[in-house]
Amino acid sequence: MATLSDVATRAGVSVSAVSRVLSEKPGVRVSVATRQRIHDAAKELNYRPNFTARALKSSRTHAVGLVVPGVTNAIFAELMRGVEEEARTKDYMVLIASTERLPEGEESIPRLMGEGRVDGVLVQFGDHLSGDDLRTVTDSGLPVISINTINPGSGGSVRLEDEAGMRLATEHLIELGHTRIGYAGGVPTSESGQRRLAGFLEAMAAAKLTVEPELVTDFGYYPKQGAQALDAMAELSTPPTAVVVANINAAHGVLSEARRLGIRVPEDMSIVAMHDTWTAEIAWPPLTCVRLPLYELGRAAMASLWDNINSGIAEDRVIADPAPELIVRESTAPPAR
Amino acid sequence: MATLSDVATRAGVSVSAVSRVLSEKPGVRVSVATRQRIHDAAKELNYRPNFTARALKSSRTHAVGLVVPGVTNAIFAELMRGVEEEARTKDYMVLIASTERLPEGEESIPRLMGEGRVDGVLVQFGDHLSGDDLRTVTDSGLPVISINTINPGSGGSVRLEDEAGMRLATEHLIELGHTRIGYAGGVPTSESGQRRLAGFLEAMAAAKLTVEPELVTDFGYYPKQGAQALDAMAELSTPPTAVVVANINAAHGVLSEARRLGIRVPEDMSIVAMHDTWTAEIAWPPLTCVRLPLYELGRAAMASLWDNINSGIAEDRVIADPAPELIVRESTAPPAR
DNA sequence: TACTCGTGAACAATCGTTTGATCATGCTAG
DNA sequence: CTAGCATGATCAAACGATTGTTCACGAGTA
């Protein structure tokens, strides 16, 4: 690990000269000859600036934290891919902090943030992460971008067109001729969950369809909770002929539970899900989904955080490009008659 | 962000006193009174040691890099979960570096490693990452643990019982009565790929079954390549009645291609796959798999790296606990007769 | 009284970079 | 001939923590 002073010695100049030349700031007065010698020496020694020293001096770590509920999740993976890629273009690194299975009293988030490890944080709140945790984060004074939740405190946010997406999904079922439509939503405290429900209700209202309370569930976004939702609906005297599932992971649970209960999809029941990950295609039947730009959401989140870090501006952005798109596969069909 | 000297001022002592008290090294001589004042001051100011300063002084960043081929991958996710969790117990953070879609000439890996950002690196080589890249990594002088590949240079490794796993998968098909069994493997340059193929061949040899060369393919571990493999086998005058797929992701591709070609699974063809991720259950039919301890592999990798960082010892470990296990679902059945 | 020794705490150097201030040199202009 | 100035480079002070060394003080001993 060659240091600046190693290079300086080899080139026969001072460390400051080396630093200035190598950092290529405009307006430094160094002769062509020494410039050359410095570059040569640096190359010969394979010099790389020490990140910790740089970070200490400049109080910039060129790293951001990404706080997510869990990593074994295709939705998260897409998001993360976007974050990663955008970070690369900005010359940033990404530190993952999963809140999955956090022992109580766990300190990893405050530690991540309080010790100057990162220049900012991207937070995607899952069901089990509350506003309190968010406060811990925002109170740290670090730039924070929250993903899919409008940040109540300061700090910006990025989110998707959840409402429009759900409307699209619901309209698809309505167009197919369904009138008794169920809704399997996320936990009611989640903000994006509320937006999705709103989208569903809007579409139903626009079609003058009634929404019976027992057809609206809010167990959560995971496969097991999707299964729970289906159980609840299947128990009804007249189950719905179609279900809008607010999350594709939950939809996978709905699908397996349907199989277990002998409900044929889409013959007995149509399923349409929010988010289009690669798992939609391997499911049986392949899931009809509404594709929201998760990858772009990740990129936008990182880009916003970068802006926030560098200029302090914090906005709430809605990622609407590409627009929500219905991907029709084989889990939806007209209702049996 | 309170610093040591802020605390020192408030407690009316020197920074060194504060440092010694707060770091709780045994054998420091500080009176109970000042000790108390220091602790109080630290608490009041919510002092947290600055990570960059600490790292610079101690040349320990308490962070490791995790280099993986891609993040949108259930196998990787399991692995990463293990790494994460073990890292947490060791008070380490994980920096993800995905080699997916790396622009050519991309420098992110050498940068990650060369700049003193991390204390060590975990590398999982995908198909498109060669020994050359590995050399870049090992040459940096940093502790490296390679995952699922025995490191040709120095540095330790952790891997799974690929051979035993494939034997288990193959024996399952043999026991069901299959004799004409195909093999859809990974790219031949991959070391774990070679071990898996060996396991398959061993099991076949032990059952005195012949392995026709055209039934052994090596397109790769991704869904599309699984589909390719099936295409190649379906074209044969007498296709196999069962296929061992060396990777579950490829198996998903096999399944959809089978559907496209009108091959019923398991009636016309049985499929057994390596690795058991949550996607196995959402597939149709649910995939019979061999479960290898991916999560434990991740934990072991991180633990090994930690050992390597702290004591310089580098071993090649095989993670054999829990042992490979066959999970029978619905993609395998006796051959039609 | 003078000396040693233990105790509790401060001093100061260091890690590798960055950057404002300073300095030596040679040249031009008055 | 010298003040003034642009040029090219060095000096030195940070950033925040760690740690070997030194120092002041009082108690114990000869």
Side-chain angles (χ1 to χ4, degrees):
Chain A
M1 303 281 162
T3 73
L4 260 195
S5 88
D6 293 337
V7 178
T9 314
R10 180 169 253 262
V13 294
S14 69
V15 286
S16 45
V18 180
S19 171
R20 279 184 239 264
V21 168
L22 260 31
S23 60
E24 292 179 331
K25 286 260 180 59
V28 265
R29 303 174 309 197
V30 179
S31 72
V32 189
T34 42
R35 204 178 275 274
Q36 189 56 50
R37 266 186 301 136
I38 289 173
H39 276 126
D40 290 349
K43 188 149 292 172
E44 286 161 27
L45 294 173
N46 190 28
Y47 169 77
R48 284 177 181 289
N50 181 288
F51 143 78
T52 47
R54 214 174 224 187
L56 173 59
K57 186 71 181 111
S58 61
S59 36
R60 276 290 154 80
T61 62
H62 272 250
V64 298
L66 175 57
V67 179
V68 288
V71 298
T72 55
N73 181 320
I75 292 176
F76 155 74
E78 269 304 293
L79 180 80
M80 172 170 172
R81 206 164 58 80
V83 171
E84 266 269 306
E85 218 143 306
E86 186 67 20
R88 182 154 55 222
T89 73
K90 299 266 192 280
D91 220 39
Y92 260 75
M93 310 234 66
V94 180
L95 259 137
I96 303 293
S98 160
T99 58
E100 195 175 27
R101 296 213 216 164
L102 271 197
E104 62 261 59
E106 172 63 3
E107 270 238 303
S108 69
I109 298 179
R111 289 201 47 203
L112 169 70
M113 320 212 30
E115 301 181 356
R117 241 174 213 284
V118 294
D119 295 342
V121 175
L122 259 21
V123 205
Q124 187 200 10
F125 282 102
D127 294 348
H128 57 292
L129 225 50
S130 69
D132 271 358
D133 300 291
L134 188 126
R135 215 152 302 117
T136 312
V137 167
T138 48
D139 282 0
S140 74
L142 271 190
V144 177
I145 300 290
S146 60
I147 298 174
N148 256 339
T149 305
I150 294 178
N151 201 324
S154 58
S157 67
V158 292
R159 62 186 175 88
L160 295 169
E161 297 185 294
D162 293 294
E163 265 183 71
M166 284 286 81
R167 247 185 278 126
L168 216 52
T170 314
E171 284 162 5
H172 169 60
L173 296 177
I174 295 171
E175 275 165 26
L176 286 173
H178 293 274
T179 53
R180 193 169 169 78
I181 302 177
Y183 181 81
V187 296
T189 54
S190 131
E191 199 196 291
S192 62
Q194 289 165 15
R195 287 201 303 275
R196 289 182 199 176
L197 178 56
F200 169 72
L201 295 176
E202 277 168 31
M204 292 296 277
K208 306 236 183 324
L209 290 175
T210 56
V211 177
E212 294 178 36
E214 74 244 31
L215 290 186
V216 174
T217 63
D218 51 11
F219 291 102
Y221 285 160
Y222 292 92
K224 276 189 187 143
Q225 299 165 326
Q228 267 184 288
L230 185 64
D231 286 343
M233 294 186 197
E235 274 178 1
L236 301 174
S237 48
T238 52
T241 62
V243 178
V244 177
V245 187
N247 184 292
I248 187 173
N249 293 325
H252 287 305
V254 169
L255 242 37
S256 19
E257 189 67 5
R259 219 138 46 207
R260 203 179 68 78
L261 297 176
I263 300 174
R264 292 168 306 159
V265 176
E267 292 82 356
D268 302 332
M269 183 182 280
S270 286
I271 304 289
V272 57
M274 178 73 126
H275 286 321
D276 182 55
T277 57
W278 68 280
T279 58
E281 297 194 337
I282 65 170
W284 187 254
L287 276 165
T288 294
C289 291
V290 172
R291 171 198 292 276
L292 259 47
L294 284 167
Y295 168 80
E296 285 79 5
L297 181 68
R299 290 201 74 134
M302 180 63 217
S304 276
L305 183 56
W306 193 84
D307 288 345
N308 198 332
I309 290 170
N310 289 290
S311 58
I313 58 168
E315 1 166 55
D316 294 316
R317 292 178 56 197
V318 175
I319 311 308
D321 183 34
E325 181 190 359
L326 182 76
I327 314 274
V328 180
R329 294 200 181 87
E330 302 171 40
S331 67
T332 49
R337 182 140 313 261
Chain B
M1 303 278 164
T3 73
L4 259 195
S5 88
D6 293 336
V7 178
T9 314
R10 179 170 253 262
V13 295
S14 71
V15 286
S16 44
V18 179
S19 171
R20 279 186 240 263
V21 168
L22 259 34
S23 62
E24 293 180 331
K25 286 260 180 61
V28 265
R29 303 175 310 197
V30 179
S31 71
V32 188
T34 42
R35 204 177 275 273
Q36 189 57 49
R37 267 186 302 137
I38 288 172
H39 276 127
D40 289 349
K43 188 149 291 173
E44 287 161 26
L45 294 174
N46 190 27
Y47 170 76
R48 282 177 182 290
N50 180 288
F51 144 77
T52 48
R54 220 176 219 186
L56 175 59
K57 186 72 178 105
S58 61
S59 35
R60 274 293 152 79
T61 61
H62 272 250
V64 298
L66 174 57
V67 179
V68 287
V71 298
T72 56
N73 181 320
I75 293 176
F76 155 75
E78 269 303 293
L79 180 80
M80 173 170 170
R81 205 163 59 81
V83 171
E84 266 270 305
E85 217 143 307
E86 185 67 19
R88 183 154 54 223
T89 73
K90 299 266 191 281
D91 220 38
Y92 260 75
M93 310 236 64
V94 180
L95 258 137
I96 303 293
S98 160
T99 58
E100 195 176 27
R101 294 211 217 168
L102 271 195
E104 62 261 59
E106 172 61 6
E107 269 239 303
S108 68
I109 298 180
R111 290 201 46 205
L112 169 69
M113 320 212 30
E115 301 181 356
R117 244 175 211 284
V118 293
D119 295 342
V121 175
L122 259 21
V123 203
Q124 187 200 11
F125 282 101
D127 293 348
H128 57 293
L129 224 50
S130 69
D132 270 357
D133 301 291
L134 187 125
R135 215 152 302 119
T136 312
V137 167
T138 48
D139 282 0
S140 74
L142 271 188
V144 177
I145 299 291
S146 60
I147 298 174
N148 255 339
T149 304
I150 295 179
N151 200 323
S154 57
S157 67
V158 292
R159 62 186 175 88
L160 295 169
E161 298 185 293
D162 294 294
E163 265 184 72
M166 283 287 81
R167 247 186 277 125
L168 216 53
T170 313
E171 285 162 4
H172 170 61
L173 295 177
I174 295 171
E175 276 165 25
L176 285 173
H178 293 274
T179 54
R180 193 169 168 78
I181 303 177
Y183 181 81
V187 296
T189 54
S190 130
E191 199 195 291
S192 61
Q194 288 165 15
R195 288 201 302 274
R196 290 181 198 174
L197 178 57
F200 169 71
L201 296 176
E202 278 168 30
M204 292 294 276
K208 309 239 184 314
L209 291 174
T210 56
V211 178
E212 294 178 36
E214 76 244 30
L215 290 185
V216 175
T217 64
D218 51 12
F219 290 102
Y221 285 161
Y222 293 93
K224 276 191 187 143
Q225 299 165 327
Q228 268 184 286
L230 186 65
D231 286 343
M233 294 186 197
E235 273 178 1
L236 301 174
S237 48
T238 51
T241 61
V243 177
V244 177
V245 187
N247 184 291
I248 187 173
N249 293 326
H252 288 304
V254 170
L255 242 38
S256 19
E257 190 66 5
R259 220 138 46 206
R260 205 179 66 79
L261 297 177
I263 300 174
R264 293 167 306 159
V265 175
E267 293 83 355
D268 301 333
M269 183 184 279
S270 287
I271 303 290
V272 57
M274 178 71 126
H275 285 321
D276 182 54
T277 58
W278 67 280
T279 56
E281 296 192 338
I282 66 171
W284 186 254
L287 276 166
T288 294
C289 291
V290 171
R291 171 198 291 278
L292 258 47
L294 283 168
Y295 168 80
E296 285 79 5
L297 181 68
R299 291 201 74 135
M302 181 64 217
S304 277
L305 182 55
W306 193 84
D307 288 346
N308 198 332
I309 290 170
N310 289 290
S311 58
I313 57 168
E315 0 165 54
D316 295 316
R317 293 178 55 196
V318 176
I319 311 307
D321 184 36
E325 181 190 1
L326 182 76
I327 314 274
V328 180
R329 295 201 181 85
E330 302 171 41
S331 66
T332 49
R337 181 122 312 257

